Amino acid sequence: DSDLGHYTQLGVLGVGTFGRVVRAVHNTTGEEVAIKLLPRGNFSELYRRYVSREIKHQSSLRHPLIVALKEVFLTPSYLAIAMEYARGGDLFTYTLSHQPSGRLSEQQARWIFQQLMIGLDYCHQRGVANRDLKLENLLLDRDSQDGARPLLKICDFGYAKADTNSSANTAVGTPVYMAPEVIMAGKSKYDAKKADIWSCGIILYAMLFGKHPFDVEDRLFIRKLVLARYTVPADVPVSEDCLDILRRVLVANPSQRLNMDQIRAHRWFRGSLPPGA
Ligand code: ADP
Ligand code: MG
Ligand code: MG
């Protein structure tokens, strides 16, 4: 179990759908990496598709805001994917760690969201939609203890779809982050890039308010989602520009939702925010 080839395991970083992710060090170079361990011997079609997508996309996407794949190798028990180690951990844990509020300042959220748009734009330009964007799949290169602002690293391309010019019709992802047209998929096709943009709206909301706009526990979850009916907490101060992005991204009709270029040109990203925002 501990046989990781020329790496030595240092700890566990996360447990996911098909395997776990461990922190490890390269025995000769001393480089620290994260290794996703996918058990061999699972031959289900779903699993094989997942693994091949993960490797294909993560190796073809080379960008500072995307977790870099280092190497793929086999151990007696696993298919191992060694990747760049994001020492700041994932954004879900990071957001939750801001206690007692459990949310980020608007300034922090904006810095992260802006990077998300740049990294995702790169993926979309290359014809790849992630389809599983959520706080857990966004990593940070460092914790902000030292005062410097962390760089975002998008990870987990296990559900990614290439050739986004054609549309998808399978509902993949995580329900609270799924766009209305994705939840309703099967009835009709959807544009995976536009669905990614919706998920980014959910991510922005979650960073700002420490909760999701649509609650899966709510009996009316689907109905509210399909109508994009959600509320914004009145007790959290957020600028009008920021609310404007949220309002125009969390739009049920994908053809009326802001696209990448419109978001990147939005006035929220211009100038600086008032102190305390
Ligand atoms: P899954 O597809 O099973 O969700 P992920 O690739 O999202 O697997 O990894 C699961 C978790 O492991 C992430 O949410 C994150 O906390 C941690 N993790 C994954 N990759 C890295 C990495 N390169 N550096 C640091 N932590 C990571
Ligand atoms: Mg994940
Ligand atoms: Mg995954």
Side-chain angles (χ1 to χ4, degrees):
D1 193 48
S2 57
D3 176 16
L4 288 185
H6 43 276
Y7 292 95
T8 301
Q9 181 173 331
L10 300 177
V12 176
L13 292 168
V15 180
T17 331
F18 293 115
R20 63 204 150 89
V21 179
V22 300
R23 188 165 68 92
V25 60
H26 192 286
N27 293 336
T28 48
T29 67
E31 185 186 23
E32 267 188 72
V33 295
I35 304 182
K36 188 177 243 186
L37 295 172
L38 297 158
R40 296 172 69 172
N42 181 340
F43 298 111
S44 79
E45 176 65 16
L46 180 77
Y47 181 76
R48 291 210 326 261
R49 270 221 308 275
Y50 178 88
V51 173
S52 68
R53 273 202 291 246
E54 176 116 44
I55 294 170
K56 183 174 97 184
H57 295 306
Q58 216 155 341
S59 59
S60 72
L61 300 168
R62 289 268 157 203
H63 190 277
L65 298 175
I66 293 167
V67 168
L69 185 140
K70 299 209 172 280
E71 63 171 315
V72 180
F73 58 97
L74 289 171
T75 79
S77 331
Y78 301 106
L79 172 69
I81 305 173
M83 55 190 152
E84 170 186 12
Y85 170 47
R87 58 187 65 248
D90 66 73
L91 203 54
F92 177 81
T93 312
Y94 180 76
T95 302
L96 209 66
S97 74
H98 288 67
Q99 288 304 328
S101 67
R103 56 183 165 76
L104 304 184
S105 69
E106 181 175 334
Q107 189 89 53
Q108 284 176 306
R110 184 175 73 163
W111 165 247
I112 288 167
F113 191 76
Q114 191 164 23
Q115 295 181 78
L116 175 58
M117 288 306 112
I118 295 168
L120 186 61
D121 196 9
Y122 167 82
C123 299
H124 286 183
Q125 300 273 0
R126 304 285 307 252
V128 177
N130 178 289
R131 297 204 297 170
D132 199 17
L133 293 171
K134 54 179 170 177
L135 293 179
E136 295 88 329
N137 288 338
L138 299 177
L139 310 179
L140 298 169
D141 72 331
R142 57 163 93 211
D143 40 47
S144 45
Q145 248 76 310
D146 56 8
R149 295 201 285 181
L151 273 191
L152 187 73
K153 300 279 176 180
I154 304 174
C155 82
D156 199 350
F157 286 82
Y159 288 123
K161 183 169 166 53
D163 184 19
T164 50
N165 291 328
S166 67
S167 49
N169 63 0
T170 26
V172 303
T174 306
V176 275
Y177 288 94
M178 275 187 198
E181 70 273 17
V182 177
I183 290 262
M184 303 308 279
K187 289 188 182 163
S188 52
K189 297 206 162 204
Y190 64 88
D191 177 331
K193 287 186 204 164
K194 289 182 175 153
D196 270 355
I197 299 273
W198 172 279
S199 304
C200 291
I202 305 286
I203 288 166
L204 176 57
Y205 186 106
M207 289 191 289
L208 292 167
F209 303 118
K211 60 178 188 173
H212 295 299
F214 305 96
D215 176 8
V216 271
E217 302 290 313
D218 185 345
R219 188 171 55 81
L220 300 175
F221 171 68
I222 300 270
R223 189 183 305 177
K224 287 182 182 165
L225 178 71
V226 165
L227 297 170
R229 192 159 293 161
Y230 66 95
T231 57
V232 166
D235 57 332
V236 181
V238 168
S239 74
E240 195 45 50
D241 286 345
C242 177
L243 290 175
D244 186 72
I245 286 221
L246 264 185
R247 257 196 306 270
R248 304 211 274 146
V249 165
L250 295 178
V251 170
N253 182 343
S255 62
Q256 283 166 16
R257 199 173 295 153
L258 289 188
N259 65 30
M260 185 67 78
D261 293 341
Q262 291 170 315
I263 297 174
R264 291 190 61 178
H266 194 279
R267 59 181 184 276
W268 189 40
F269 299 116
R270 284 189 223 130
S272 57
L273 295 168

